[in-house]
Amino acid sequence: MKDEYLNPKETPITFILVFANIITFVVLEILGDTTDGLFMLSNGAMNPYMVLDYGQWYRLFTATFMHFGIEHLMNNMLLLFLLGQIFERAVGPVRYLGIYLGSGLAGSFLSFFYMCLIGKNDIVAGASGAIFGVVGGMIIVIIVNKGRYHGISTKRMLFMAALTLYFGFATADTDNAGHIGGLIAGMLLTFLSYGISAIIRGTHVDFKGEKTYTLGNKQDKER
């Protein structure tokens, strides 16, 4: 377990991302209250009005590193820490970082677009869109590896994604559009950057050792 999950040299990007989210949270907590929507808005949370009327598109990115309270942070970081390391080993650190950031932006944009469409003006923050991108990416990795990767099956990943989405829809003040956007983006980005080449080669590449294996405020919203 120590070798698998507690060695930053093995999966550096996951550790960096978790650290970045935690540091952001700590800094914001020192400055104010992360459960206060107006405080979060003033420090980079995503909001359709601020994006459209003031052109603050950077909020689509900054919001993905912000969390409403310690529970919101811990739930997201636990999943990122455990699943992110498996995904990083599968696709390599560069692909992983691109997929994570791309999924986070896609989740923010779909959330922004959906709120504009239905006329909502919520305040949104959280890494869940990016983390759902990792979930979607793992689904592609498992499919490419003939239905199983490191003991995780396609059915298990699909069940996990469906269950998490269900709890999101069943829970108030959850940014489900961001979740769906991240999931779809993660699947697409992983297929384009990893899946196509793996299928063509018929192999899975371990990027660590370059070894080849045969494919065998209740308007605030949390993501």
Side-chain angles (χ1 to χ4, degrees):
M1 179 67 69
K2 183 177 179 180
D3 293 337
E4 189 129 357
Y5 289 107
L6 298 179
N7 187 353
K9 293 181 180 179
E10 294 286 326
T11 52
I13 301 301
T14 300
F15 279 83
I16 290 171
L17 290 172
V18 171
F19 182 74
N21 277 279
I22 292 174
I23 288 299
T24 300
F25 178 81
V26 170
V27 170
L28 288 173
E29 274 292 306
I30 292 173
L31 296 175
D33 181 5
T34 58
T35 63
D36 182 346
L38 292 178
F39 169 75
M40 295 289 277
L41 180 65
S42 67
N43 284 278
M46 200 275 285
N47 172 260
Y49 174 77
M50 301 300 289
V51 172
L52 283 178
D53 286 29
Y54 291 92
Q56 296 176 355
W57 293 93
Y58 67 85
R59 291 176 180 273
L60 298 179
F61 175 76
T62 55
T64 64
F65 287 91
M66 301 173 67
H67 292 84
F68 287 107
I70 186 65
E71 184 178 353
H72 186 203
L73 173 75
M74 295 307 296
N75 288 341
N76 277 346
M77 290 307 100
L78 179 60
L79 184 57
L80 176 60
F81 182 73
L82 296 176
L83 190 60
Q85 292 187 73
I86 300 173
F87 186 57
E88 183 174 355
R89 286 189 176 95
V91 302
V94 176
R95 285 183 176 89
Y96 171 53
L97 181 60
I99 292 165
Y100 180 92
L101 296 178
S103 298
L105 286 171
S108 286
F109 182 79
L110 186 59
S111 175
F112 159 76
F113 180 77
Y114 177 71
M115 283 192 286
C116 289
L117 198 63
I118 65 174
K120 278 193 173 183
N121 193 39
D122 295 340
I123 301 167
V124 179
S128 295
I131 294 170
F132 264 87
V134 174
V135 173
M138 275 304 304
I139 292 173
I140 297 299
V141 167
I142 294 167
I143 291 173
V144 167
N145 286 276
K146 296 187 176 180
R148 185 170 292 274
Y149 182 80
H150 280 223
I152 306 175
S153 67
T154 306
K155 288 182 179 180
R156 179 181 292 184
M157 280 306 305
L158 288 172
F159 177 75
M160 174 182 169
L163 187 63
T164 309
L165 283 171
Y166 167 76
F167 279 121
F169 281 105
T171 304
D173 307 318
T174 300
D175 181 22
N176 294 298
H179 293 175
I180 295 172
L183 181 70
I184 294 173
M187 295 179 73
L188 181 60
L189 291 171
T190 304
F191 180 72
L192 292 175
S193 65
Y194 166 86
I196 293 175
S197 60
I199 291 171
I200 292 173
R201 289 194 309 269
T203 56
H204 163 68
V205 178
D206 179 349
F207 289 91
K208 176 193 168 193
E210 294 299 328
K211 299 176 183 177
T212 301
Y213 298 89
T214 302
L215 273 174
N217 29 23
K218 295 305 182 185
Q219 267 194 320
D220 309 338
K221 285 196 173 185
E222 298 179 354
R223 294 206 297 269

